[in-house]
Amino acid sequence: MPPKGKAQKPKGPETSKAPSTAPAPQQAASPALSAPPANVKQRSQQRFDESRPYEVARQKVGLSGLSPAEQVGWISARFARSNAVARSRLGPKSQRELWRHVNEANLPVRALKKDPFWGRDRNGRDVGEYNLAQFDDRTAKRIALTALEVSSRAFGDLRERANRGPRDETSGLVVTETEVQEERVRRASMATLRKELYGEKMTGKLAQDPEWDDVEPIPYEEPAVALAAIAYPEEYAEAISYLRAVMQKKECSPRCLRLTEHIISMNPSHYTVWLYRASNIFALKLPFLDELNWLNSVALENLKNYQIWHHRHLLIENYYPKIADSPSAIADLAASEQEFLATILAEDTKNYHVWSYRSYLVSKLGLWGNADELAAMESMIRDDVRNNSAWSHRFYIIFSNPEHSTPGTASTEPDPRAPPDIVDREIQFAQDRIYLAPQNQSPWIYLRGVLVKGGRKLASVEKFVEEFITGLEEQGSKEDIQSTHALDLLAEIYAEKGDKKKADLCLRRLGDKWDRIRVGYWEWRRKCLGTPGGEVVAQA
């Protein structure tokens, strides 16, 4: 027999089940909720209230003031957000009924945090007090900083893999100079954003430069017992700490050369930096003229700096052996140096370091008989007859010329090799300049030196000297001395001739009337006239 069919219940009219949705509580819009928020805290409060409407309504009218449906919504929302759901042992059917009710009522299960703290900015201000435009700007900067940090980390990973070396000849990674420059710009932007956002101290120029990532700087720490610690500028202290690190490793590279240039721009008198720069130049075999052109600009900005001229000296010493067999190359270098020296002496005609270097250059390049060098001295003396340095250099290039000078002879000693015609020429040169300024000491000293170097008696210029002295023995109103230097030289001439009386008269008149400020010196000279043997101590 076929199985008996199950009886079916008669179908009645279909009824639609209306969801038991708790209506949203009706609240009177308060000014605090309806008005646009003035700052981040107010907006957070508004959003917090929007996530818990039944609780807001309960706080306004109390639990008894809510409708039954609203009371169910309030209880369900609290229960759904509490830990009781996780701890409860509701059966599957009960849990389904609970969450059906939560879903149908559209209850916010996850509520926002109450009174969130947004942090403080670089000035200690609560970020929650920012207006919305300020907060959006801060958020945009934080997003930009995060993006830059991600890109920077990617660059670091790429370079680390590149430094490990390629697996084969074709799969190697290379970090290009463009990528390094991009990272340099990126780090500068990151440092700026960190300072603006969090007040973090911006890192130094070298710390931001990816080129120096592999160097661990060695900062200088003042001793605890230091009486006066030097307050180095931060940029300078950072550069020196990196300099110590690369010098310790004895590194010679283009970046070290750039580092020395950076330090020299801040402190051109740092002697050690100049020596380290020279060692880099020579180790890298860099072009001599490129370094010399750079050095010219530095010298014009630091006229009194000795280290610059010592560096130039080292450059010439290193370069000269390469051109020693080429007279034309030596002539070109000499002309170039003379041109630059003329430029810098036009700025400071009495610069001792420049004149010292010029003397070295004459000796090194053999410019003793160089017409341009002699003409330059004549021009400078013509422009300023009181330029002691030009007078001294002229004497050096003429009477130290190896072609007509005795090696080892001092500048204050007679030299039998000194050509008489040159001695006559220089005597006349000095006398012509004395006429222009009789009281100028420079040509008088030069005249005396030429006479000694040529082995001439001082008395050979007695008539010339007497042209500047009138009525010495008569004294009174008839006495006229145009040059105290002439009277001094005349005293030596008389002493040389053995006429101590006249020599004493000259020295006495210098102390009594014509050079009273040095009366003690002239009295000492007078006493020297009476020394055993009748020696006269010449003026230094």
Side-chain angles (χ1 to χ4, degrees):
M1 294 180 63
K4 184 184 291 186
K6 293 184 179 180
Q8 295 184 358
K9 295 180 180 180
K11 294 183 179 181
E14 293 185 2
T15 59
S16 60
K17 292 186 178 181
S20 58
T21 302
Q26 301 296 323
Q27 304 179 35
S30 64
L33 295 178
S34 61
N39 54 37
V40 176
K41 282 187 175 180
Q42 289 187 11
R43 185 174 67 178
S44 298
Q45 185 62 41
Q46 288 185 7
R47 291 178 175 177
F48 177 76
D49 292 341
E50 290 172 358
S51 68
R52 45 201 297 278
Y54 294 108
E55 177 63 21
V56 173
R58 186 195 67 80
Q59 291 177 358
K60 288 179 61 88
V61 299
L63 185 60
S64 60
L66 299 178
S67 66
E70 291 173 345
Q71 290 178 358
V72 171
W74 177 79
I75 294 173
S76 299
R78 281 178 59 87
F79 186 74
R81 285 198 297 264
S82 68
N83 294 330
V85 176
R87 296 195 302 266
S88 65
R89 297 187 179 183
L90 296 177
K93 184 175 181 181
S94 298
Q95 289 191 24
R96 284 197 299 271
E97 287 296 322
L98 170 65
W99 290 114
R100 180 183 64 79
H101 180 76
V102 169
N103 292 333
E104 290 177 351
N106 196 23
L107 297 175
V109 177
R110 295 181 180 180
L112 298 178
K113 185 178 180 181
K114 180 177 177 60
D115 297 330
F117 178 63
W118 294 94
R120 298 189 180 277
D121 62 12
R122 54 176 296 185
N123 298 316
R125 180 186 174 189
D126 187 349
V127 176
E129 297 177 357
Y130 277 31
N131 61 43
L132 301 185
Q134 292 173 330
F135 184 77
D136 290 343
D137 179 65
R138 176 182 173 84
T139 302
K141 289 181 178 179
R142 295 180 68 182
I143 294 173
L145 177 59
T146 301
L148 290 171
E149 289 174 339
V150 170
S151 299
S152 182
R153 284 195 294 270
F155 171 84
D157 293 341
L158 173 64
R159 186 167 60 180
E160 183 179 353
R161 284 182 288 158
N163 291 339
R164 285 199 296 264
R167 297 178 181 176
D168 53 56
E169 296 181 355
T170 59
S171 63
L173 296 174
V174 177
V175 178
T176 65
E177 181 60 31
T178 301
E179 290 173 326
V180 173
Q181 181 60 29
E182 289 175 352
E183 175 66 10
R184 191 175 289 123
V185 174
R186 187 158 47 236
R187 292 188 183 183
S189 300
M190 289 164 56
T192 302
L193 287 172
R194 288 193 182 107
K195 184 176 182 181
E196 292 179 358
L197 288 171
Y198 311 117
E200 293 183 4
K201 184 178 179 181
M202 294 185 66
T203 54
K205 178 179 178 181
L206 298 177
Q208 293 180 15
D209 195 336
E211 186 178 37
W212 294 94
D213 285 351
D214 62 317
V215 177
E216 184 67 28
I218 305 176
Y220 174 72
E221 296 182 359
E222 291 279 2
V225 295
L227 295 178
I230 301 176
Y232 293 108
E234 292 183 1
E235 185 178 8
Y236 180 76
E238 182 202 33
I240 292 297
S241 67
Y242 277 87
L243 178 72
R244 291 192 191 95
V246 293
M247 288 184 67
Q248 188 178 78
K249 297 179 180 179
K250 297 182 180 180
E251 177 183 338
C252 291
S253 62
R255 72 175 181 179
C256 293
L257 202 65
R258 291 192 292 271
L259 177 61
T260 61
E261 184 174 345
H262 176 53
I263 296 175
I264 288 170
S265 68
M266 296 184 287
N267 180 14
S269 298
H270 199 305
Y271 185 67
T272 304
V273 177
W274 282 105
L275 290 179
Y276 184 58
R277 181 177 181 86
S279 66
N280 272 262
I281 293 291
F282 303 148
L284 298 175
K285 299 180 180 180
L286 298 180
F288 165 78
L289 294 180
D290 289 350
E291 178 68 5
L292 203 63
N293 290 334
W294 172 82
L295 191 61
N296 288 350
S297 61
V298 178
L300 287 170
E301 294 176 357
N302 303 274
L303 297 177
K304 296 293 187 181
N305 187 295
Y306 163 73
Q307 285 76 14
I308 291 174
W309 296 98
H310 181 261
H311 185 68
R312 200 180 194 94
H313 180 112
L314 295 179
L315 293 177
I316 295 294
E317 284 291 319
N318 180 265
Y319 180 65
Y320 181 77
K322 303 174 184 177
I323 62 172
D325 298 330
S326 175
S328 60
I330 293 176
D332 291 342
L333 176 61
S336 173
E337 288 295 273
Q338 287 172 331
E339 181 181 358
F340 174 70
L341 292 177
T343 300
I344 201 164
L345 286 174
E347 300 288 335
D348 183 8
T349 58
K350 308 294 178 69
N351 192 318
Y352 171 78
H353 305 310
V354 180
W355 285 108
S356 177
Y357 171 78
R358 189 162 199 158
S359 298
Y360 155 77
L361 199 67
V362 168
S363 175
K364 189 67 179 179
L365 302 185
L367 302 180
W368 305 105
N370 187 276
D372 292 338
E373 190 72 6
L374 188 61
M377 295 306 102
E378 290 187 11
S379 175
M380 297 190 74
I381 291 173
R382 182 174 60 252
D383 294 340
D384 180 11
V385 74
R386 294 174 175 79
N387 191 334
N388 302 329
S389 300
W391 282 102
S392 177
H393 190 72
R394 181 183 177 90
F395 190 89
Y396 173 73
I397 62 177
I398 292 175
F399 292 104
S400 295
N401 189 339
E403 294 182 1
H404 47 251
S405 64
T406 303
T409 303
S411 59
T412 56
E413 296 177 351
D415 189 345
R417 293 189 61 193
D421 57 330
I422 292 180
V423 173
D424 292 338
R425 184 192 70 189
E426 294 307 302
I427 289 174
Q428 188 61 49
F429 181 83
Q431 290 177 347
D432 292 342
R433 272 63 187 176
I434 288 174
Y435 283 127
L436 297 176
Q439 191 53 26
N440 175 26
Q441 189 179 23
S442 299
W444 288 104
I445 294 177
Y446 189 84
L447 175 62
R448 191 192 307 256
V450 172
L451 292 172
V452 171
K453 183 60 69 175
R456 308 283 179 89
K457 294 288 186 181
L458 298 180
S460 62
V461 294
E462 181 176 358
K463 290 184 179 180
F464 170 74
V465 175
E466 289 178 342
E467 294 181 29
F468 302 93
I469 301 170
T470 304
L472 179 63
E473 296 184 6
E474 300 178 13
Q475 301 183 20
S477 60
K478 294 183 179 181
E479 185 181 75
D480 182 24
I481 306 299
Q482 297 182 37
S483 173
T484 58
H485 308 298
L487 190 55
D488 178 18
L489 182 55
L490 188 61
E492 293 195 41
I493 291 173
Y494 288 148
E496 183 185 72
K497 294 169 62 176
D499 193 344
K500 294 185 179 181
K501 183 178 179 180
K502 286 187 177 181
D504 183 79
L505 175 62
C506 293
L507 297 174
R508 188 171 65 252
R509 295 306 296 151
L510 282 167
D512 292 346
K513 180 178 182 180
W514 298 106
D515 192 11
R516 291 183 55 81
I517 195 170
R518 296 197 296 167
V519 61
Y521 171 71
W522 301 122
E523 287 299 317
W524 175 75
R525 288 277 299 277
R526 287 181 64 198
K527 292 179 181 179
C528 290
L529 290 174
T531 56
E535 293 182 354
V536 178
V537 180
Q539 180 181 357

